[in-house]
Amino acid sequence: KQVPFAIGADAAKDPKKVEAILKMVETLATDEEAYLMTSYGEEGVNYDIAEGGGVVPRPEFTDPIQATSALGINFFSPIKGNNPLMLKIDYPAEKVAFRTQVNDKGITPITDAMQMKTLPSWDANKDALQKMAKEYELKFILGEADTDKGFDTFISEMNKAGLEQATAEANEVYATKK
């Protein structure tokens, strides 16, 4: 969840520069005062702390582009919003508590097994299937097809047009994922 962070080729050749850069990153990751100053500016001037915790930027500093150009805040914040030590700064207490609850080690996260997968039969028939789906959607809305009996016909025609094979391929993907 972190944006890429790199040290330039010229800086990488100089161990003192590398050390200085890494000290800056470490300070931003561990020092609340430095984190607040570089991420939000000055308390009472650029932001306030909400009653339930969390920073609330003043209206003129809510646009990150304007805040960066006016003050330089956010310019060098490679860990903003993702540092567990600074969550209490970035978010109200209730959001931090919710994050802790949903990230409980005892909860198994739901993931999308189909993410970035291709289904050859879907790709081969996608245009026809999407056209047919839109046509039936319109028929159902206009009352030209019965939503109970017509739905079975719709599924049957979609299956003949390639949906059945695409479903089988998708089920194979799901079967390999635990």
Side-chain angles (χ1 to χ4, degrees):
K1 293 186 176 182
Q2 179 177 321
V3 296
F5 177 78
I7 296 174
D10 288 339
K13 293 174 187 173
D14 184 343
K16 288 184 181 182
K17 286 183 181 178
V18 172
E19 183 180 353
I21 292 168
L22 293 177
K23 279 184 181 179
M24 287 171 32
V25 172
E26 181 179 14
T27 299
L28 291 174
T30 59
D31 183 302
E32 287 185 18
E33 191 175 319
Y35 181 80
L36 275 165
M37 183 60 75
T38 59
S39 297
Y40 298 102
E42 189 177 342
E43 184 176 1
V45 176
N46 310 112
Y47 70 89
D48 297 300
I49 301 291
E51 190 173 312
V55 170
V56 179
R58 297 255 171 118
E60 61 270 28
F61 302 106
T62 56
D63 180 347
I65 294 170
Q66 288 180 336
T68 300
S69 64
L71 302 170
I73 58 177
N74 288 319
F75 181 74
F76 189 70
S77 298
I79 55 171
K80 186 175 180 184
N82 292 315
N83 181 349
L85 298 175
M86 304 301 171
L87 290 178
K88 65 184 179 217
I89 293 171
D90 293 324
Y91 303 104
E94 65 186 40
K95 285 190 177 185
V96 175
F98 178 75
R99 181 183 187 274
T100 302
Q101 176 189 353
V102 298
N103 288 319
D104 182 336
K105 300 256 187 268
I107 296 174
T108 304
I110 297 172
T111 58
D112 182 2
M114 295 304 297
Q115 189 176 23
M116 304 302 287
K117 301 290 185 215
T118 57
L119 303 174
S121 62
W122 173 262
D123 290 341
N125 301 301
K126 176 173 57 177
D127 293 338
L129 288 166
Q130 289 176 335
K131 181 180 180 211
M132 191 180 302
K134 286 178 183 178
E135 287 172 356
Y136 264 93
E137 182 180 1
L138 190 57
K139 286 179 184 180
F140 290 136
I141 291 170
L142 295 175
E144 294 174 8
D146 183 274
T147 53
D148 292 325
K149 296 173 188 167
F151 187 76
D152 293 337
T153 304
F154 164 64
I155 295 298
S156 175
E157 288 184 26
M158 292 285 284
N159 283 337
K160 289 177 192 171
L163 183 63
E164 188 170 35
Q165 182 59 36
T167 302
E169 291 169 0
N171 285 333
E172 283 180 36
V173 171
Y174 283 115
T176 62
K177 301 288 180 182
K178 299 287 184 229

